Amino acid sequence: MKIIKYITVFILCIMAVSCKKYLDEVPQAVVSQEDLKTPANTDAMVIAAYSALGNDRFFIPYSSMWAYGSIRGGDAYKGGGGTGDVGEFHQFETFINNTVTNGSGDAVFYQLFVGIARCNTALQLVEGQTDAAYPLKTQRQAELRFLRGHFYFLLKILFNHIPYVDESIQKSADTYGSISNVALTSDQLWNKIAGDFDYAAANLPVTQTDVGRATKGAAQAYLAKTLLYQAYTQDDKNNVTGIDKTKLTRVNTLCDSVISSGKYSLTPEFATNFLPQSDNSLESVFAIQYSKNDNSSIGRTDAGHVLDYPMNAEYGCCGFHSPSNNMVNAFKTDANGLPQFTTFNDNDVVPTGDYKTGSFDPRLDHTVAIPGHPYKYQTGLVYQAAWARDLQSYGPLLSMKETVAYTDPSFTRFPPFMSSSKNWEIIRYADVILMKAEALIQTGREIEALPLINMIRTRAGNSTALLKQKDGTPTSNYRVDTYKPGVNCTWTNAYAWQALMFERRLEFAMEGYHFFDLVRWGIAAEYINAYFTTETKRTPHLVGAKFTKNRDEYLPISQAQINFSHGLYKQNTGW
């Protein structure tokens, strides 16, 4: 018994020494704050902030914003396998069913703040470096402020009232729950976001050695976009109460700076923007850079669009993001090759499948997968209605800008999903052109906006080379012309405004921002409810859908976030 007692005491002593030794050592695979302070590791943290751009998941597609901007803006139906398949998106689409417990809404709020936290952490480290040890200090600060501005911009257009945390006050994990989401007014929040882009524009180079890093032109364009949104002033019930023309004048100046830089231009072919072999083209002002075969488990592929591929054997999942009949009809043109502003939706082309009797803008077949039409320009791969997942609920159409041909080297599978390493554009040069046109029209200079809008339409009309059937005949009957005052239109300010709004919808269809255009223009309620009136008769999944004015302009602050802040966060208007 004594021997057992001595052995036990000996073992306990050895354990005590071992535990003390273990507690005194830094755990493996853990990087300390001190380790991060080296110039090399600080630079690695800047890269980590960039990587937050593409950290989407299938239920939080914040890179493209399709679930928040396309399906809420009338461009698309949710799609998928019925209303219960990722039901949170069905709540977004119908509005009336949305709740403060929507998990996707909570997740996108959280994920965007993860991106902001990475920016703030990296900024703290960069600011601790000396110029001698870290020669790119100012440039890296500018890049991080650009990225932070991007994340905050998305939060602002999604939720309106958000807590604002920068690197000077990010001190602990509790910080985000201890700062009120109404501490700043809407205008003050916009100023903070604009301030980041302003700093970036002043301190970023015109060209970066590393493709994908933010540039001066990207910062100027994003600053213009921020000021354009801020210019449409709103009251505390989300009503647009006026337009700040001083800000629009600066939007125009910033767009001129991007244009005059000579670094960007419209690609001759519209399709170029949505083909992986054309990544980082002259039209790309800022894009998320994806990758595969990069030594990670599944690559840094575009996870935000994994749900959007067809259900045929070559793909297999999942049939989401289905273009609405309304949006397809918007691509109709009249005998003059111009959009049908008020009558486009009177007759529905989708049930007939006849794209030869009338005439259409070619951007239709670059955007929408239509039965009988080649899929992603592959004449040997003709899209079929059966490739859609739920014909009864969502019809036969699917979105194409975000997908790639299954034979493309960028295509990858990670069952049950698939995706690609194709870039996703955040701002393309076409947006700069149309932002300038919008600012000009809203300041009474519609004549100067005319050639800008016509520039976009000319490119659209010239983008038919890839839209061929196997026998070489055009896939649809295309007719597009420019606006010619006194010949095919009367270019008044009101008419120019209609043309601008329509051109934005056609050019950026299914790219995720249409809803946010409607909100900043102050027409969301009227537009969406008119859309529901007609579209409900075409698809049963929209029965009962309704946009509630002075509420649905923004998503609710999730109950989970309010609980996290112990009630400090205040709920948005109407919720």
Side-chain angles (χ1 to χ4, degrees), residues 507-519:
E507 180 69 15
F508 305 114
M510 309 300 281
E511 293 182 43
Y513 283 93
H514 188 232
F515 176 78
F516 306 108
D517 282 345
L518 300 176
V519 171

Side-chain angles (χ1 to χ4, degrees), residues 74-366:
D75 274 6
Y77 311 139
K78 174 184 77 71
T83 58
D85 190 7
V86 192
E88 293 90 345
F89 292 176
H90 179 67
Q91 292 179 10
F92 292 153
E93 182 179 6
T94 56
F95 294 96
I96 194 69
N97 296 317
N98 199 15
T99 68
V100 298
T101 57
N102 185 306
S104 181
D106 178 59
V108 72
F109 185 99
Y110 169 80
Q111 199 66 32
L112 288 169
F113 269 112
V114 168
I116 289 165
R118 289 192 183 190
C119 294
N120 286 339
T121 298
L123 276 166
Q124 290 173 331
L125 292 166
V126 171
E127 288 165 5
Q129 298 292 335
T130 64
D131 291 325
Y134 197 61
L136 293 177
K137 178 177 179 177
T138 300
Q139 180 178 313
R140 294 294 187 252
Q141 287 173 316
E143 290 177 41
L144 289 164
R145 291 188 66 172
F146 174 93
L147 295 172
R148 185 173 66 187
H150 166 72
F151 294 127
Y152 269 123
F153 179 89
L154 296 184
L155 280 164
K156 184 72 173 73
I157 64 175
L158 283 166
F159 297 99
N160 195 23
H161 295 297
I162 51 175
Y164 189 87
V165 181
D166 63 19
E167 77 279 12
S168 67
I169 55 177
Q170 179 176 305
K171 300 183 186 304
S172 71
D174 298 328
T175 300
Y176 290 90
S178 63
I179 296 176
S180 171
N181 66 321
V182 293
L184 300 177
T185 66
S186 178
D187 209 45
Q188 287 171 333
L189 273 170
W190 279 127
N191 286 340
K192 290 283 190 182
I193 298 167
D196 274 347
F197 291 127
D198 219 343
Y199 181 89
N203 292 285
L204 285 173
V206 173
T207 303
Q208 291 269 28
T209 303
D210 297 327
V211 175
R213 289 189 186 272
T215 62
K216 179 181 288 292
Q220 289 170 328
Y222 222 143
L223 177 57
K225 188 172 185 176
T226 300
L227 294 172
L228 185 63
Y229 273 74
Q230 186 182 13
Y232 294 85
T233 56
Q234 295 182 0
D235 63 17
D236 58 5
K237 292 185 177 180
N238 309 332
N239 298 304
V240 174
T241 56
I243 301 176
D244 186 334
K245 295 186 178 180
T246 301
K247 286 187 172 59
L248 293 181
T249 298
R250 192 170 180 213
V251 170
N252 183 47
T253 300
L254 286 162
C255 290
D256 279 344
S257 295
V258 178
I259 293 167
S260 63
S261 72
K263 295 293 181 181
Y264 311 98
S265 66
L266 294 180
T267 59
E269 166 63 62
F270 183 70
T272 299
N273 295 290
F274 312 104
L275 292 172
Q277 59 266 34
S278 303
D279 281 349
N280 302 308
S281 72
L282 288 175
E283 190 163 342
S284 178
V285 178
F286 187 74
I288 299 175
Q289 310 288 316
Y290 292 107
S291 63
K292 61 180 288 190
N293 301 326
D294 55 8
N295 296 320
S296 61
S297 58
I298 58 174
R300 290 285 299 172
T301 52
D302 181 1
H305 288 120
V306 298
L307 298 178
D308 300 359
Y309 283 83
M311 299 292 292
N312 59 317
E314 289 83 357
Y315 294 106
C317 190
C318 289
F320 280 73
H321 200 201
S322 177
S324 69
N325 291 29
N326 179 289
M327 195 205 71
V328 170
N329 291 328
F331 285 95
K332 293 176 183 175
T333 57
D334 62 19
N336 293 315
L338 299 181
Q340 302 175 21
F341 294 156
T342 58
T343 61
F344 73 92
N345 206 33
D346 290 352
N347 296 299
D348 191 4
V349 70
V350 176
T352 70
D354 181 5
Y355 296 87
K356 292 293 184 74
T357 300
S359 58
F360 297 86
D361 188 310
R363 286 173 289 189
L364 169 66
D365 280 310
H366 292 289

Side-chain angles (χ1 to χ4, degrees), residues 502-542:
F502 230 82
E503 207 61 37
R504 283 198 65 86
R505 187 183 192 192
L506 299 179
E507 180 69 15
F508 305 114
M510 309 300 281
E511 293 182 43
Y513 283 93
H514 188 232
F515 176 78
F516 306 108
D517 282 345
L518 300 176
V519 171
R520 68 186 170 84
W521 293 333
I523 61 172
E526 296 77 10
Y527 183 102
I528 297 298
N529 284 327
Y531 163 82
F532 285 148
T533 298
T534 303
E535 215 70 3
T536 298
K537 300 171 185 176
R538 296 169 176 167
T539 170
H541 83 279
L542 288 177

Side-chain angles (χ1 to χ4, degrees), residues 54 56 61 63-64 288 290-291 298-307 309 402-403 412 414 418-424:
D56 305 60
S63 291
S64 77
I288 299 175
Y290 292 107
S291 63
I298 58 174
R300 290 285 299 172
T301 52
D302 181 1
H305 288 120
V306 298
L307 298 178
Y309 283 83
E402 65 269 44
T403 64
T412 187
F414 43 101
M418 63 216 70
S419 187
S420 81
S421 57
K422 175 170 70 74
N423 285 1
W424 185 251

